[in-house]
Amino acid sequence: MSGGNVYVRDDEFGWLGAKINSTDGGKADVTVYVPTDSEGKKKPKEVKRSIKLSEYSGESLPLQNIDADGNLIEKEDMRDLPSLHEAAILYNLKTRHEKLNPYTRVGDMVIAMNPFQWLTHLYSEEQRTLFADKIIFKAPEAGDPRKGLPPHIYETSAMAYRGLAAHGLHQSILVSGESGSGKTETVKIIMKHLAAVQSLSADSAIFSADATDAIVKRILESNALLEAFGNAKTVRNNNSSRFGKYIQLQFDVEDGRSAELAGKKLPTCVLAGSINNTYLLEKSRVVGHESAERTYHIFYQILAAPEDVKTKLWGGLAGATNSSFKYIGDCEPLLIDDMTDGQKWEETANALAGIGIEGEKFDTFMRAICTVMQLGNISFAENPSNSEETIIDSKDELNKLGDLLAVETSDIEKALTTRAVTIGRETYDKPLKLSESQETRDAFAKEIYFQIFDYIVAVMNTMTSAENNYDKANEVQEFGRVSLLDIFGFESFEVNRFEQLCINYANEKLQQLYTLDTFRSVQEEYEDEDIELESVTFPDNASVLRLVEGRVGVIALLNEECVRPNGNDETFVSKVCLVNKDNPDMLQGRLFRPYEFAINHYAGTVKYDARMFVHKNTDNISSNLLDLACKSSNELISVELKAAADARLAKPSGGRKKKGQSTTVATKFRSQLTALMNSISETRTRYVRCIKPNPEKLPVRLNLLSTAEQLRCAGVLSAIAISRAAFPTRLHHEDFIERFDFLSSARFGDDEDEKKVEAGEGNSSSRAYVEKVVLDILGDDTTVKEEGQELTAYACGKTRVYFRSGVLEQFEAKRAAALSTHVITMQRYARGYLERSHFQKVKASVIAIQATMRRYNRRKLFLRILQAAINISCWVRCIYAKKLLIRLRKYKAATIIQKYWRSALFFGYFTKCRAAAITIQKTTRGFLTRKHNMEKTEQNMRQSKTFNKLKDFKQSILKLGRAAALADAIAEKAEENKLEGIEEQDSLSDEVEVEVALLTNANEQLMRELEALKAENVKIKEKYHNTEFQLKAVSIVKNKLEDTLKVKEKDISYLRSEVAKAKQKKKHDFSVMKQAQDVKEDEYKSKISDLEAKLQAAKETIKANRRVRVQPAGLNGSFRRASLRNQKGKKKFSDNFDYDTEQDVLTNLGKKLQPIMDPIGSIMVNSNGKKKQKKKWKWAK
């Protein structure tokens, strides 16, 4: 069925909508619409999946209930859904929940979704009056009185009241659901409505909220006491009932004949009283609870009471908080019905006073509760002298407990640390171990609280029962009952214990009852539709009940293990699995531990942890604790515990009892459950299934997976399986005709019948017509095979037509195929129309394009003509302009020719004059130069003789090497001390510069004296021309030079002494400079590394380019002249002056001074941070 809308299973969402793309054998390719947000506001994501049809019932996917427009069909009564299955129910509930319609019908059952908000418009006075009028006082004589009314919890209470008044049948309303689904609130709403209905007059139907009498008020206020003592905060619910309750509202029903004689349409029912029966209180919560949970509300209410009230009740409560008691524990404040624990205390105290618990009785009652709280503060320790014995180490807490019980502390310690053991006729006390003492303490606390709870229920029943409080009780033979059962829903946790077994056992009994009632309603429906009901198989849980309550079932074997000496949990599990191994609902997995077993319940398989089963089922307290309770001055503790112990040891009715054997918890619960089922079986039962839509308790949000699980646990899906066992799908006649009429050639005989069918009025003619259409569509294939039997594929009732499994899917497939054919035809015409429309549009576009192109071409031609005219006019203007240009060019060319001709004439004359001048200058300069050169040659020959006398002068010059040695010493010293600080280098560089300046001045002085010597030599040579006189003059000069050198040596020695003094001073200042140097050490290191790099670069540069300092012009000229003489073959200069040696000395001095002067000059900084100007050193090769 390609293109069909179906549902597919999903691990995250339970069920998701999908569309079939194709089917191939046992597989179907579908497009699944996966939600992308929890609120469903965003567009779902489309995911392709391949589905195995063998995993679905009937090997076909469940259909979606959609209308002709493709919208999901929403029904107030889900029996009217065309396809009724789990997914259809789930999405129908989701649609209604999102529209704030929490109630939905499934026949007589109402499904109530907890909206997690109070919807005032649903519970207004008008709504209460509306349902009372429509269903009770102004109901039609025939037909369903609920027709035309939306689903509501008021219809359940109103139908129960009507059934009691009109038919005289006892009524029961069974409310179930998991914790947090709203069971307690639903029961409250039903009770208030039932109490209010009696005040409505059959004539006026005017509701008066103030008309309730004292009994009605007492009945309604009794809920506050049950909540205070039986409700607690859990992870799922802040006000969860931790017990089951069966409230029987007693009515004085007027006799039908008397009402008829009085002219009343309906007998009057007066609420006369009520009786409460409770089941399976969660006693373990008294002594412990999870960190996110709380124990029972009454404990927190006592601690939140005013200080004067607490002190009056018991001095130990003065200043006490939740954390003062270990059983209570510290927890956050909680609001219940927008009331704090302190406000709830006032409400509880008033309710207790309303049932007669006040004054001394109230104090005794509250001190009993304080005893339970104080027992949790008793702590134990091993006896130091014997590890098998236990002592109480919290003496202060023990004294407080003794004060509460008015018992000696020694008696308390003995009762909690020993157990009386009887052997034969002798009795002795057996010491308890530490864990056993703690269990004994907890058992005592649980038993006291359980008896307090039972006492409250008993007093409430005394104060609210019709037999004790109704004025006309003696005149009533039997009170009519409307019973409300608020019991725990089916439970399946990660760890399931004894309490879960009892709860699920009760739900199995209720499910059996619900199954039978549902099957009965199906029978009635088929009879009303005039359809023969064949043998129908439906899910039956009888085998599970035999497994639990049979002669060799779980309860019997558990009781046997409790009375057996040394009975334990593992032996119990072994017996259960062995005896019931043939029962298909008894499961024992290979990986199960010895204390684990599983039962296949109607809602799913549950694995139980049997540890503590025997202990919890025994439910006995030691005789020591009973003796301790009897010694207490608190009458509630002493009387109630003694009476409970006697009741356990009493002989059960209808059977024998072994001596010393007491009734177990499971046996007692089974007896209560049997009595409950017998009581319910005598009534007309109605069902309310409460659903918790999401674990987060958020309004208008539904978790599909958890909701589907709750529907399964509530038995709703089982009821659907029963109601659809024979014919799973059904359609009203008008719906069937509207959907499938076009597939058949059959037609109505007249228009009148057609109008009736369209109006929804089923009659014989419409029934016959529908059957005609079905036969026409099915043809010869009117039967289907189910479990090897040939069965009719359909059944046509008075108002509905029913189909076997898979038949409606065949109809849908044929409908889809027919629609596909019609759609193809429609598409053909539509495509033809679209193509014609497209052609007309294209034609219009072509005409527009042609017009545009013609306009373009004409404009283009016009522009070309225009451009041609412009070009012609331009050419004409150019001709005239060129003629003018030619005339102007001729005039300008003549002018230029004249200019260049005149310039050429003057330039030729200038050239001749300049050549003549150059010739004259050249001749004159040649004559003068030759004359000068001859004079210079003669002068040089005369001076050569003088240089022979200058050997001694060379020795004097070599003394300058000492200065170089001194410079070497200074350079070495500078290198040694350059790391001692930048400031010392600056000082040393200044000294070197001073010394070098002195040497430079000395050298210059020598050069000047040499020039003076030369001048004197020339003068002497010109005047005397005598060699001896020249030698004498040279010796005089020599002496002067020697004297000068001596003076210089003295200066050098003086400089050395000054350097030594400077060293002494630097050593003295070094310690002071060291402190400043440490501060800047890191900065100086980086600078020094840079200096070393520069120094290395300078050395490499000096090695590559050996340079000498430029000599003074006079000395350098002498060297050049000497060289010229040597080249002319005169006397060699090397004999008189060692030029190479002198050059090496100067070069060596330059090498040693260069690496010092360059880096020192680069870091000389003024006080304002600016660099000093570097010394410029000129070096030459």
Side-chain angles (χ1 to χ4, degrees):
M1 186 177 60
S2 179
N5 295 298
V6 295
Y7 292 106
V8 296
R9 291 192 181 95
D10 186 80
D11 295 335
E12 182 179 357
F13 297 97
W15 291 93
L16 287 176
K19 191 171 185 177
I20 297 178
N21 299 324
S22 62
T23 55
D24 183 13
K27 290 186 178 180
D29 294 329
V30 299
T31 300
V32 183
Y33 302 102
V34 182
T36 55
D37 64 327
S38 58
E39 298 180 359
K41 294 182 179 180
K42 296 182 180 179
K43 185 179 180 181
K45 180 174 63 176
E46 297 183 2
V47 180
K48 304 289 185 181
R49 292 185 186 176
S50 180
I51 305 297
K52 293 182 179 179
L53 298 179
S54 58
E55 298 176 353
Y56 294 82
S57 176
E59 294 190 356
S60 61
L61 298 174
L63 294 174
Q64 293 186 25
N65 297 305
I66 56 176
D67 56 19
D69 298 329
N71 300 319
L72 198 65
I73 297 174
E74 176 193 345
K75 293 291 185 180
E76 294 179 344
D77 190 340
M78 290 193 288
R79 292 188 308 173
D80 296 334
L81 289 172
S83 296
L84 186 60
H85 43 74
E86 180 179 337
I89 288 178
L90 195 61
Y91 275 86
N92 192 74
L93 291 174
K94 181 177 184 293
T95 303
R96 292 184 58 77
H97 178 66
E98 290 173 350
K99 294 179 180 178
L100 296 180
N101 294 323
Y103 298 112
T104 309
R105 294 192 197 102
V106 183
D108 288 340
M109 181 176 66
V110 174
I111 297 178
M113 305 288 290
N114 191 343
F116 295 116
Q117 57 181 320
W118 183 256
L119 304 177
T120 307
H121 67 282
L122 290 180
Y123 309 104
S124 63
E125 181 180 339
E126 290 76 10
Q127 287 291 317
R128 289 193 291 267
T129 304
L130 174 65
F131 279 87
D133 286 344
K134 291 286 187 181
I135 296 177
I136 301 175
F137 302 113
K138 298 180 182 180
E141 295 181 0
D144 190 351
R146 299 175 301 171
K147 188 175 182 180
L149 289 174
H152 202 290
I153 196 64
Y154 285 162
E155 77 180 42
T156 304
S157 55
M159 289 294 291
Y161 187 94
R162 177 180 176 80
L164 179 64
H167 306 294
L169 296 177
H170 299 304
Q171 305 289 312
S172 291
I173 301 175
L174 275 57
V175 182
S176 64
E178 73 168 33
S179 179
S181 60
K183 299 188 300 296
T184 303
E185 196 63 35
T186 300
V187 170
K188 288 182 186 178
I189 294 171
I190 293 174
M191 288 181 64
K192 289 179 180 179
H193 190 237
L194 286 171
V197 165
Q198 70 166 354
S199 62
L200 294 174
S201 170
D203 299 325
S204 61
I206 299 175
F207 174 71
S208 175
D210 299 329
T212 57
D213 56 12
I215 295 177
V216 174
K217 183 179 179 181
R218 196 178 302 154
I219 291 172
L220 296 177
E221 288 181 350
S222 64
N223 278 322
L225 291 177
L226 291 176
E227 287 187 9
F229 288 89
N231 288 22
K233 177 190 176 183
T234 64
V235 176
R236 297 182 178 182
N237 186 10
N238 291 340
N239 191 25
S240 175
S241 298
R242 307 316 299 162
F243 67 101
K245 58 186 174 186
Y246 185 56
I247 305 173
Q248 294 179 332
L249 299 178
Q250 298 171 308
F251 288 86
D252 179 8
V253 183
E254 185 181 7
D255 182 65
R257 182 173 298 179
S258 301
E260 186 177 354
L261 292 175
K264 296 181 180 179
K265 188 176 180 180
L266 198 69
T268 303
C269 297
V270 179
L271 182 59
S274 68
I275 298 176
N276 283 302
N277 295 319
T278 59
Y279 304 94
L280 207 64
L281 176 70
E282 188 182 9
K283 295 192 292 184
S284 59
R285 185 169 290 273
V286 175
V287 298
H289 54 83
E290 298 295 333
S291 58
E293 299 182 345
R294 299 205 320 176
T295 185
Y296 293 104
H297 296 325
I298 186 61
F299 296 113
Y300 302 95
Q301 293 175 12
I302 291 175
L303 293 172
E307 285 296 325
D308 56 339
V309 176
K310 292 162 58 176
T311 306
K312 179 183 177 183
L313 293 177
W314 177 45
L317 291 177
T321 60
N322 296 341
S323 57
S324 302
F325 299 95
K326 295 180 181 178
Y327 282 165
I328 312 302
D330 194 9
C331 62
E332 297 180 358
L334 181 67
L335 289 178
I336 302 173
D337 297 333
D338 295 329
M339 297 174 67
T340 63
D341 290 327
Q343 294 170 333
K344 280 288 184 181
W345 161 258
E346 298 292 339
E347 185 182 28
T348 302
N350 294 333
L352 287 172
I355 61 173
I357 300 178
E358 53 186 346
E360 287 294 331
K361 203 172 183 180
F362 177 80
D363 295 342
T364 301
F365 182 80
M366 289 301 167
R367 286 173 68 87
I369 298 176
C370 292
T371 302
V372 177
M373 297 164 60
Q374 184 59 26
L375 274 169
N377 290 348
I378 302 298
S379 58
F380 302 92
E382 292 183 354
N383 192 338
S385 60
N386 187 357
S387 60
E388 297 295 323
E389 297 180 358
T390 306
I391 60 173
I392 296 177
D393 60 352
S394 54
K395 298 301 181 182
D396 293 340
E397 303 295 339
L398 180 61
N399 292 332
K400 292 180 181 179
L401 181 61
D403 177 54
L404 272 172
L405 293 174
V407 178
E408 295 293 333
T409 57
S410 58
D411 294 338
I412 298 175
E413 186 167 10
K414 179 182 177 182
L416 296 178
T417 59
T418 62
R419 178 185 294 119
V421 179
T422 302
I423 300 178
R425 296 182 179 179
E426 296 183 358
T427 301
Y428 65 95
D429 294 330
K430 176 186 176 182
L432 299 177
K433 296 181 180 179
L434 178 61
S435 59
E436 295 173 339
S437 296
Q438 292 173 345
E439 290 177 1
T440 302
R441 174 201 61 193
D442 294 343
F444 192 38
K446 290 189 288 185
E447 186 63 24
I448 292 174
Y449 189 80
F450 180 71
Q451 296 307 322
I452 291 172
F453 185 77
D454 272 2
Y455 172 76
I456 281 288
V457 174
V459 173
M460 285 171 52
N461 288 337
T462 302
M463 299 301 294
T464 60
S465 64
E467 291 81 0
N468 298 328
N469 299 276
Y470 187 53
D471 296 338
K472 300 179 181 180
N474 297 329
E475 301 176 5
V476 180
Q477 294 181 356
E478 183 183 9
F479 288 100
R481 299 194 312 271
V482 177
S483 303
L484 302 174
L485 178 63
D486 177 7
I487 199 165
F488 0 72
F490 188 88
E491 293 185 352
S492 179
F493 304 126
E494 291 185 4
V495 179
N496 300 283
R497 304 195 183 277
F498 181 72
E499 292 81 4
Q500 278 70 48
L501 177 64
C502 294
I503 290 171
N504 293 341
Y505 169 44
N507 279 273
E508 287 286 355
K509 297 286 286 185
L510 295 173
Q511 180 63 22
Q512 185 184 45
L513 177 65
Y514 178 58
T515 300
L516 295 175
D517 287 345
T518 304
F519 183 71
R520 191 180 302 114
S521 66
V522 171
Q523 284 181 317
E524 294 175 357
E525 179 186 352
Y526 282 14
E527 289 174 359
D528 293 341
E529 290 288 333
D530 193 18
I531 296 175
E532 183 180 353
L533 180 63
E534 303 171 358
S535 58
V536 177
T537 58
F538 56 88
D540 186 12
N541 61 345
S543 61
V544 179
L545 292 174
R546 284 196 302 272
L547 175 61
V548 177
E549 63 182 6
R551 295 182 60 185
V552 288
V554 174
I555 294 177
L557 294 176
L558 181 59
N559 291 338
E560 180 183 332
E561 198 65 22
C562 290
V563 298
R564 190 178 68 84
N566 300 324
N568 58 76
D569 302 316
E570 294 184 4
T571 305
F572 156 69
V573 173
S574 177
K575 286 182 180 179
V576 168
C577 296
L578 180 63
V579 173
N580 298 281
K581 62 181 179 181
D582 295 331
N583 193 317
D585 295 318
M586 183 68 202
L587 305 177
Q588 179 65 25
R590 293 182 178 180
L591 300 178
F592 282 9
R593 294 180 174 85
Y595 50 80
E596 293 179 341
F597 67 96
I599 298 177
N600 186 22
H601 290 283
Y602 74 93
T605 302
V606 180
K607 184 173 70 173
Y608 294 98
D609 187 334
R611 287 178 291 185
M612 300 297 291
F613 264 42
V614 175
H615 174 74
K616 291 181 178 180
N617 188 49
T618 304
D619 194 32
N620 280 337
I621 60 174
S622 66
S623 58
N624 293 10
L625 294 178
L626 286 176
D627 294 340
L628 176 65
C630 292
K631 292 178 183 179
S632 175
S633 63
N634 192 310
E635 296 180 359
L636 180 59
I637 295 176
S638 60
V639 174
E640 293 299 325
L641 263 69
K642 180 63 177 174
D646 294 341
R648 289 194 184 98
L649 296 173
K651 180 179 178 180
S653 60
R656 293 180 298 175
K657 186 179 183 68
K658 295 181 181 180
K659 184 178 179 180
Q661 179 181 349
S662 62
T663 305
T664 62
V665 173
T667 302
K668 181 180 177 181
F669 183 68
R670 180 176 58 185
S671 301
Q672 290 178 330
L673 201 55
T674 302
L676 174 64
M677 292 297 106
N678 293 334
S679 176
I680 293 176
S681 63
E682 298 173 357
T683 65
R684 170 67 169 86
T685 310
R686 305 179 191 280
Y687 299 90
V688 177
R689 294 292 187 256
C690 297
I691 303 297
K692 184 179 181 180
N694 61 81
E696 297 83 11
K697 306 175 187 177
L698 298 174
V700 198
R701 184 177 296 182
L702 187 136
N703 186 299
L704 295 172
L705 193 62
S706 65
T707 303
E709 183 65 26
Q710 292 177 70
L711 291 173
R712 198 174 294 112
C713 293
V716 176
L717 303 182
S718 300
I720 294 170
I722 295 171
S723 63
R724 297 300 174 95
F727 299 100
T729 52
R730 64 196 71 185
L731 284 173
H732 285 281
H733 286 172
E734 57 271 20
D735 294 335
F736 177 81
I737 292 174
E738 179 184 357
R739 195 165 182 82
F740 300 107
D741 179 53
F742 73 97
L743 296 177
S744 173
S745 59
R747 289 292 178 270
F748 267 139
D750 53 26
D751 295 336
E752 229 15 79
D753 290 336
E754 188 172 357
K755 290 179 181 178
K756 289 182 179 179
V757 173
E758 291 177 355
E761 301 174 2
N763 51 33
S764 58
S765 60
S766 67
R767 182 177 184 180
Y769 173 69
V770 168
E771 193 163 1
K772 242 191 246 185
V773 172
V774 172
L775 288 173
D776 193 16
I777 295 173
L778 288 177
D780 297 333
D781 192 13
T782 58
T783 60
V784 294
K785 282 188 177 182
E786 288 187 1
E787 299 179 358
Q789 298 181 358
E790 288 283 345
L791 301 175
T792 305
Y794 73 97
C796 192
K798 293 179 180 179
T799 61
R800 295 186 180 95
V801 56
Y802 298 81
F803 299 98
R804 299 280 184 186
S805 178
V807 176
L808 185 61
E809 283 77 2
Q810 295 178 15
F811 276 71
E812 290 290 346
K814 292 181 179 180
R815 179 176 180 269
L819 288 177
S820 177
T821 303
H822 293 312
V823 165
I824 290 172
T825 303
M826 293 172 64
Q827 288 178 345
R828 186 181 67 197
Y829 284 106
R831 286 173 182 154
Y833 169 76
L834 293 176
E835 290 298 330
R836 285 190 296 273
S837 300
H838 179 66
F839 171 74
Q840 295 296 335
K841 290 180 181 179
V842 171
K843 183 178 179 181
S845 300
V846 168
I847 293 172
I849 292 171
Q850 288 177 346
T852 303
M853 288 302 299
R854 291 189 184 107
R855 182 182 62 186
Y856 172 75
N857 291 331
R858 291 295 180 181
R859 179 173 176 78
K860 186 176 180 182
L861 178 62
F862 166 74
L863 292 177
R864 289 175 61 185
I865 294 172
L866 178 63
Q867 186 64 36
I870 294 172
N871 291 338
I872 292 172
S873 62
C874 180
W875 291 340
V876 172
R877 293 190 186 96
C878 284
I879 291 172
Y880 287 104
K882 284 181 180 179
K883 290 181 179 179
L884 178 62
L885 179 63
I886 290 171
R887 288 196 301 269
L888 294 175
R889 281 179 178 175
K890 288 180 179 180
Y891 178 77
K892 183 178 180 182
T895 305
I896 292 173
I897 291 171
Q898 292 175 358
K899 180 183 68 174
Y900 280 105
W901 172 252
R902 292 169 184 162
S903 175
L905 291 177
F906 283 103
F907 184 75
Y909 178 74
F910 168 74
T911 302
K912 289 179 181 180
C913 292
R914 186 177 62 178
I918 290 172
T919 301
I920 294 170
Q921 289 177 353
K922 180 174 65 174
T923 303
T924 304
R925 288 172 181 166
F927 172 76
L928 294 175
T929 301
R930 284 190 297 272
K931 183 179 179 181
H932 179 71
N933 287 339
M934 290 176 65
E935 291 176 355
K936 284 288 183 182
T937 300
E938 291 176 359
Q939 183 179 358
N940 288 337
M941 290 176 65
R942 288 192 301 268
Q943 288 180 352
S944 63
K945 296 178 182 180
T946 306
F947 281 107
N948 292 331
K949 301 296 181 176
L950 293 179
K951 284 184 179 181
D952 295 336
F953 178 72
K954 183 186 70 172
Q955 296 298 329
S956 298
I957 295 300
L958 290 178
K959 289 181 181 181
L960 292 173
R962 296 177 183 177
L966 178 60
D968 292 339
I970 293 172
E972 291 176 0
K973 189 63 180 179
E975 291 179 358
E976 292 175 357
N977 296 336
K978 67 180 179 179
L979 297 179
E980 293 180 1
I982 300 303
E983 294 180 0
E984 185 175 359
Q985 286 185 352
D986 293 342
S987 176
L988 183 60
S989 63
D990 293 339
E991 294 176 4
V992 172
E993 287 178 357
V994 170
E995 188 170 357
V996 170
L998 292 175
L999 293 174
T1000 303
N1001 294 332
N1003 189 19
E1004 291 176 354
Q1005 182 66 27
L1006 289 175
M1007 293 301 105
R1008 286 193 297 270
E1009 291 177 353
L1010 182 60
E1011 291 294 328
L1013 179 61
K1014 289 179 181 180
E1016 290 178 357
N1017 187 19
V1018 171
K1019 291 178 181 181
I1020 292 170
K1021 186 173 61 174
E1022 291 176 352
K1023 289 181 180 183
Y1024 301 103
H1025 300 282
N1026 192 340
T1027 304
E1028 291 179 358
F1029 182 78
Q1030 290 179 357
L1031 291 174
K1032 185 176 180 180
V1034 168
S1035 64
I1036 293 171
V1037 172
K1038 176 183 177 183
N1039 293 333
K1040 288 183 178 181
L1041 290 173
E1042 288 177 353
D1043 294 337
T1044 304
L1045 289 174
K1046 288 179 181 180
V1047 173
K1048 300 302 178 183
E1049 287 177 355
K1050 290 180 181 180
D1051 294 338
I1052 289 172
S1053 62
Y1054 173 77
L1055 289 174
R1056 287 177 178 174
S1057 63
E1058 290 296 323
V1059 169
K1061 290 180 182 180
K1063 287 181 180 180
Q1064 293 294 331
K1065 184 177 180 182
K1066 294 304 178 182
K1067 288 181 181 179
H1068 178 267
D1069 297 335
F1070 179 77
S1071 59
V1072 178
M1073 295 170 58
K1074 189 66 176 178
Q1075 296 178 356
Q1077 182 181 0
D1078 291 339
V1079 177
K1080 298 184 179 180
E1081 183 175 359
D1082 294 337
E1083 182 181 356
Y1084 289 163
K1085 284 182 180 179
S1086 61
K1087 291 182 178 181
I1088 289 172
S1089 63
D1090 295 337
L1091 292 177
E1092 289 175 351
K1094 292 180 180 180
L1095 179 61
Q1096 184 65 28
K1099 287 182 180 180
E1100 291 175 358
T1101 304
I1102 291 171
K1103 287 179 182 179
N1105 304 312
R1106 302 185 63 90
R1107 299 173 183 271
V1108 296
R1109 191 171 182 178
V1110 178
Q1111 298 297 327
L1115 184 61
N1116 195 15
S1118 300
F1119 291 159
R1120 289 177 180 175
R1121 286 191 295 272
S1123 299
L1124 290 173
R1125 284 200 309 271
N1126 291 337
Q1127 292 175 3
K1128 292 180 180 180
K1130 302 296 180 179
K1131 191 176 179 178
K1132 292 184 178 180
F1133 180 75
S1134 58
D1135 297 338
N1136 301 321
F1137 192 84
D1138 192 356
Y1139 178 81
D1140 294 336
T1141 304
E1142 184 68 16
Q1143 183 178 0
D1144 292 339
V1145 171
L1146 294 176
T1147 302
N1148 188 22
L1149 178 61
K1151 286 181 180 180
K1152 294 183 180 296
L1153 293 179
Q1154 181 69 28
I1156 297 174
M1157 295 305 163
D1158 288 345
I1160 290 175
S1162 64
I1163 62 170
M1164 293 173 65
V1165 183
N1166 294 328
S1167 60
N1168 57 0
K1170 297 182 180 179
K1171 290 186 178 180
K1172 294 181 179 179
Q1173 188 176 1
K1174 294 182 180 179
K1175 298 294 183 178
K1176 296 182 181 180
W1177 299 86
K1178 295 182 181 180
W1179 306 94
K1181 292 183 180 180

